[in-house]
């Protein structure tokens, strides 16, 4: 999946930086910001991509460093005028000392990482005692199936197996930006087992719903008030 995202890096930057990602702005980001602890010592933006979340966190007072496995993503991130520092590295082999951070944010990236359990273990390693991992992923129910039509009352069908992991590449086209997402469907248990193996305890889980103004703008978005589009969690490294 690393190679797939490297091939889509510039398309992703155009999509992420031009207001086309309404699900991020309307549904996912507000809930994530509410889930985060306040700024502390150091924050790691894991799978930082082109850097949009790191820039926002920095503006909110977090001391941020980013890491991504795509060379083009890292170049895009660090070349932005408001960029926090970012380095090129594998999430499953982070180039940071033990307990270097008190917060790791894995925003919409764990499903794009081939070695997800190792990445979670590395996040746990670089967290200090009582540090938090905050993560957001496409909800495993979402990635296991699809709506039959884009309408608010459309039936939702699980295709294949929810319980088995499987590649989940799909093409997205919005307002002239066409890109391929390179991801993997994994059941919720896979993520919970990775947290368990890393010694992290889940504190909170969220399944964000579209707000009223998003549904008013596009009635079809009402379908995501029945089936969760995203899953977010906060886990702690016991002190």
């Amino acid at each position: 999946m690393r190679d797939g995202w490297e091939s889509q890096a510039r398309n992703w930057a155009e999509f992420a930086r031009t207001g086309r990602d309404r699900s991020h702005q309307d549904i996912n980001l507000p809930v994530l910001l509410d889930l985060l602890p306040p700024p502390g010592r150091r924050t790691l933006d894991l799978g930082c991509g082109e850097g949009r979340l790191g820039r926002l966190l920095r503006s909110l007072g977090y001391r941020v460093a980013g890491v991504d496995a795509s060379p083009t993503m890292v170049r895009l991130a660090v070349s932005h005028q408001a960029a926090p520092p970012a380095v090129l590295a594998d999430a499953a082999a982070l180039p940071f000392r033990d307990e270097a951070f008190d917060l790791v944010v894995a925003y919409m990236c764990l499903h794009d990482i081939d070695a997800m359990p190792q990445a979670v273990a590395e996040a746990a390693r670089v967290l200090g005692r009582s540090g938090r991992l905050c993560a957001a992923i496409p909800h495993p129910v979402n990635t296991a199936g699809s709506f039959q039509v884009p309408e608010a009352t459309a039936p939702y069908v699980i295709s294949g197996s929810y319980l088995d992991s499987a590649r989940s590449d799909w093409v997205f086209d919005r307002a002239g930006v066409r890109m391929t997402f390179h991801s993997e469907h994994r059941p919720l248990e896979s993520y919970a087992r990775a947290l368990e193996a890393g010694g992290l305890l889940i504190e909170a889980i969220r399944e964000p719903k579209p707000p009223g103004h998003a549904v008013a703008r596009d009635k079809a978005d009402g379908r995501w008030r029945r089936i969760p589009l995203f899953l977010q969690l906060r886990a702690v490294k016991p002190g």
Side-chain angles (χ1 to χ4, degrees), residues 57-161:
L57 292 179
R58 189 182 197 186
S59 75
L60 296 175
Y62 292 84
R63 185 181 176 192
V64 183
V67 62
D68 202 280
S70 161
T72 302
M73 291 285 196
V74 173
R75 283 195 295 270
L76 287 164
V78 299
S79 63
H80 193 282
Q81 61 183 4
V87 298
L88 178 67
D90 188 338
L94 293 173
F96 305 110
R97 61 176 173 80
D98 294 357
E99 302 188 1
F101 300 91
D102 55 8
L103 175 61
V104 175
V105 183
Y107 182 65
M108 299 302 288
C109 68
L110 292 179
H111 55 291
D112 298 333
I113 296 173
D114 295 290
M116 181 273 292
Q118 293 91 325
V120 172
E122 278 290 272
R125 179 185 66 79
V126 302
L127 275 174
R129 299 292 172 179
S130 301
R132 264 74 177 181
L133 167 66
C134 291
I137 57 172
H139 201 291
V141 170
N142 165 17
T143 58
S146 62
F147 290 100
Q148 298 301 286
V149 291
E151 297 176 359
T153 59
Y156 188 84
V157 176
I158 299 292
S159 54
S161 171

Side-chain angles (χ1 to χ4, degrees), residues 195-218:
L195 294 167
E196 179 184 345
L200 300 175
L201 303 178
I202 296 174
E203 288 187 318
I205 289 180
R206 301 288 184 267
E207 296 172 305
K209 289 184 179 181
H213 70 267
V215 176
R217 183 182 59 221
D218 185 348

